[in-house]
Amino acid sequence: MPGGAVLHATSDVNRVEAPVTLKAYFMCAFAAFGGIFFGYDSGYISGVMGMNYVITLLTGLDPNTTPSADFTLPSWKKSAITSVLSAGTFFGALIAGDLADFFGRRVTIIAGCVVFIVGDILQTASASLGLLVAGRLVAGFGVGFVSAIIILYMSEISPRKIRGALVSGYQFCVTLGLLLASCVDYGTENRNDSGSYRIPIGLQMAWALILGTGLFFLPESPRYYVKKDQVDKAAEALSRLRGQPRESDYIQQEIAEIVANNEYELQLIPQGNYFESWFNCFRGGLFNRSSNLRRTILGTSLQMMQQWTGINFIFYFGTTFFEELGTIKNPFLMGIITTLVNVCATPISFWAIEKIGRRPLLIWGALGMLICEFIVAIVGVTDGQNPAAVRAMISLICIYIACFAATWGPGAWVVIGEIFPLPIRSRGVALSTSSNWLWNCIITVITPYMVGTDKGNLGARVFFIWGSLCLCCFVYAYFLIPETKGLSLEQVDRMMEECSPRTSGKWVPHSTFAADMGFVEEKAAAHEAIEHKDV
């Protein structure tokens, strides 16, 4: 045993985790608060770019004398302001994978909060495009740290029976952040001074302070300690998380299973030096369903697919898109309505992701989104100037948002936190999250050119593109997404070794790693030796 620890291993697949207590639930749930400032930072920019004061300021005109209603931001400026955050988060997420292994999951998230606050101070102080873009780039690194590692941290500390619901809580907090951003934008849009944008930007520092401070009082991930060969610290952290005494059989048995799984994976994946440890993410054959390469491709492509749904088009460019429809009296109010739909639909996933499962949720969610998007595109092309048709389009957009919020929004984050073995988990989740931000960046760069009236001017026709991509998501989910509902992270490893994604829903645990690695026999031998000594 690592560190000379003697653990109470078990061969009972139902006793590899302690019962869930209320204290443990709230400790795990607090980490989801990280979604607040992720969502807020993603959401406020849409409204800010549509504010009269900001438009005149960033076009080099005098906000106090120029009738800003006659002007709009050029597409290249919209693209630069929006996409630079995603560029920062892409690199931040990659760096975070290393930091999470070197210093711990919790410390990396706290560091991300600090970096984010620095970036937010730069944005708040900005009075020009250059400093605003620089601040968003720095803040992006902080968001990258948090968005990558908060999912890893939550997946590693959450009980298996409610892990999907708790990680979905992160996505719910993202939607709350988006809603708060829309409300604050709505409240400051008519100010004719720098407070119109500095208030929405500066407020987000509060979310980073709350998360960073709260994490000082939460334990580190037990799986991080096991990876560092510090089993005693792992047992102590798990005891706090599960609300059980450190000596209880539940704690000892869960730690034994984590240790056994880690030793099994290390036999398959020797760690080596720094570069070899990164290369381990790409080992194994493409057609070996449990290989690290296959899992890395699954995680990165799943996050790519989430971005392909087109949801960020609504939340990044929704205000300006509704303005360009020409029949919406208050596009800022429409922004609040769409984010409110997002908030109200997300809690459905708390129940559905554990009751229905990850795989069906992603399949049916993609189907619902593609139907709505194709209808929006058809109505917009055939009768887009009719106010009644526009109202129908808005209704369908809201249904589409609800489909995303209840399925792909939380589902993609839940799955990437579950599919990687411990030796490569931090880097696998970091690569998957960086893929999310890479495609987020690509989409935010090209979308203004696709729909801007001074460029592609696609208007509602852009939904033909999003609908086609959601069709790809539907096919992808059916053939490649495994079902991980109700399994411990260690059991997910075994399931992916033994069955294909399409048969994964029928798989049930039949043994423990502790038993297979001889920990149970080791325990029995130790007890027998003690009995002989007593005799």
Side-chain angles (χ1 to χ4, degrees), residues 21-156:
T21 65
L22 190 61
K23 176 187 175 183
Y25 182 89
F26 282 116
M27 288 182 70
C28 297
F30 175 79
F33 188 84
I36 289 279
F37 80 79
F38 170 26
Y40 187 97
D41 194 61
S42 299
Y44 84 85
I45 198 63
S46 173
V48 164
M49 288 192 300
M51 291 177 178
N52 292 342
Y53 186 91
V54 174
I55 292 172
T56 52
L57 183 68
L58 295 183
T59 50
L61 302 170
D62 184 354
N64 298 311
T65 59
T66 304
S68 57
D70 297 334
F71 299 91
T72 184
L73 284 179
S75 295
W76 74 267
K77 288 190 176 182
K78 289 182 185 177
S79 175
I81 293 169
T82 309
S83 63
V84 71
L85 177 84
S86 303
T89 51
F90 169 76
F91 291 106
L94 284 179
I95 295 169
D98 282 338
L99 296 180
D101 271 353
F102 295 154
F103 304 109
R105 284 56 162 144
R106 190 173 60 100
V107 173
T108 303
I109 298 169
I110 294 172
C113 292
V114 174
V115 173
F116 177 83
I117 289 172
V118 172
D120 196 49
I121 291 172
L122 293 176
Q123 292 177 76
T124 306
S126 66
S128 64
L129 180 65
L131 190 56
L132 177 63
V133 169
R136 281 180 65 78
L137 180 64
V138 174
F141 275 88
V143 174
F145 282 19
V146 175
S147 61
I149 306 307
I150 202 80
I151 294 298
L152 172 65
Y153 180 67
M154 292 184 68
S155 297
E156 289 192 341

Side-chain angles (χ1 to χ4, degrees), residues 35-51 72-75 77-90 116 123 136 139-140 143-144 147 170-171 174 177-179 181-182 185 204 303 306-324 331-332 334-336 338-339 342 397 400-401 404 413 433 435-449 451 463 466:
I36 289 279
F37 80 79
F38 170 26
Y40 187 97
D41 194 61
S42 299
Y44 84 85
I45 198 63
S46 173
V48 164
M49 288 192 300
M51 291 177 178
T72 184
L73 284 179
S75 295
K77 288 190 176 182
K78 289 182 185 177
S79 175
I81 293 169
T82 309
S83 63
V84 71
L85 177 84
S86 303
T89 51
F90 169 76
F116 177 83
Q123 292 177 76
R136 281 180 65 78
V143 174
S147 61
Y170 169 80
Q171 179 66 19
V174 171
L178 288 166
L179 178 61
S182 294
D185 284 346
Q204 58 191 334
Q303 288 295 324
Q306 191 203 53
Q307 292 301 301
W308 279 12
T309 61
I311 193 68
N312 283 330
F313 167 72
I314 300 296
F315 295 125
Y316 285 162
F317 304 106
T319 301
T320 52
F321 174 72
F322 290 129
E323 281 177 337
E324 290 161 4
F332 280 86
M334 280 306 309
I336 292 178
T338 53
T339 51
N342 198 24
I397 288 172
Y400 149 69
I401 292 170
F404 174 87
W413 293 109
T433 306
S435 170
N436 178 290
W437 288 112
L438 173 64
W439 285 96
N440 187 305
C441 182
I442 291 170
I443 289 171
T444 52
V445 166
I446 66 176
T447 299
Y449 295 95
V451 299
F463 282 95
W466 305 135

Side-chain angles (χ1 to χ4, degrees), residues 201-243:
I201 293 174
L203 184 61
Q204 58 191 334
M205 278 186 275
W207 319 133
L209 285 170
I210 292 171
L211 177 65
T213 303
L215 281 170
F216 271 109
F217 302 98
L218 289 182
E220 180 55 84
S221 163
R223 289 175 169 90
Y224 165 74
Y225 283 131
V226 168
K227 183 178 174 66
K228 288 293 185 179
D229 200 19
Q230 299 174 355
V231 179
D232 289 339
K233 288 185 177 180
E236 184 64 34
L238 190 64
S239 173
R240 290 181 61 193
L241 288 167
R242 299 291 183 256

Side-chain angles (χ1 to χ4, degrees), residues 200-471:
I201 293 174
L203 184 61
Q204 58 191 334
M205 278 186 275
W207 319 133
L209 285 170
I210 292 171
L211 177 65
T213 303
L215 281 170
F216 271 109
F217 302 98
L218 289 182
E220 180 55 84
S221 163
R223 289 175 169 90
Y224 165 74
Y225 283 131
V226 168
K227 183 178 174 66
K228 288 293 185 179
D229 200 19
Q230 299 174 355
V231 179
D232 289 339
K233 288 185 177 180
E236 184 64 34
L238 190 64
S239 173
R240 290 181 61 193
L241 288 167
R242 299 291 183 256
Q244 297 277 342
R246 177 177 167 174
E247 298 77 18
S248 75
D249 283 346
Y250 281 114
I251 299 300
Q252 294 295 308
Q253 289 164 0
E254 184 171 355
I255 287 292
E257 184 69 359
I258 296 170
V259 169
N261 173 257
N262 186 51
E263 291 193 5
Y264 171 75
E265 294 293 347
L266 288 175
Q267 290 178 5
L268 300 177
I269 320 167
Q271 289 302 283
N273 59 35
Y274 172 80
F275 295 102
E276 287 177 337
S277 64
W278 265 107
F279 184 71
N280 284 335
C281 294
F282 307 97
R283 290 188 186 277
L286 183 61
F287 298 101
N288 177 1
R289 57 187 170 226
S290 66
S291 71
N292 288 353
L293 173 64
R294 182 80 170 255
R295 297 185 198 214
T296 299
I297 292 174
L298 176 61
T300 53
S301 60
L302 179 58
Q303 288 295 324
M304 176 187 73
M305 290 289 176
Q306 191 203 53
Q307 292 301 301
W308 279 12
T309 61
I311 193 68
N312 283 330
F313 167 72
I314 300 296
F315 295 125
Y316 285 162
F317 304 106
T319 301
T320 52
F321 174 72
F322 290 129
E323 281 177 337
E324 290 161 4
L325 284 178
T327 57
I328 304 297
K329 293 182 179 179
N330 193 331
F332 280 86
L333 183 60
M334 280 306 309
I336 292 178
I337 291 172
T338 53
T339 51
L340 187 60
V341 170
N342 198 24
V343 170
C344 293
T346 301
I348 296 172
S349 67
F350 298 175
W351 170 84
I353 206 156
E354 297 296 357
K355 185 69 175 180
I356 299 174
R358 285 69 157 154
R359 177 179 161 82
L361 213 60
L362 294 176
I363 292 172
W364 291 107
L367 181 62
M369 286 189 290
L370 73 89
I371 291 172
C372 290
E373 287 173 321
F374 278 128
I375 295 176
V376 168
I378 292 169
V379 172
V381 169
T382 56
D383 200 16
Q385 299 304 312
N386 185 338
V390 172
R391 287 194 293 272
M393 289 167 62
I394 291 171
S395 298
L396 285 163
I397 288 172
C398 288
I399 296 172
Y400 149 69
I401 292 170
C403 288
F404 174 87
T407 60
W408 276 81
W413 293 109
V414 170
V415 172
I416 68 164
E418 297 175 329
I419 59 175
F420 294 101
L422 182 56
I424 66 163
R425 185 170 296 141
S426 63
R427 290 184 170 96
V429 174
L431 284 168
S432 301
T433 306
S434 63
S435 170
N436 178 290
W437 288 112
L438 173 64
W439 285 96
N440 187 305
C441 182
I442 291 170
I443 289 171
T444 52
V445 166
I446 66 176
T447 299
Y449 295 95
M450 292 164 58
V451 299
T453 53
D454 60 335
K455 296 296 180 182
N457 197 23
L458 286 178
R461 287 172 293 179
V462 74
F463 282 95
F464 280 122
I465 297 175
W466 305 135
S468 299
L469 292 174
C470 277
L471 178 60

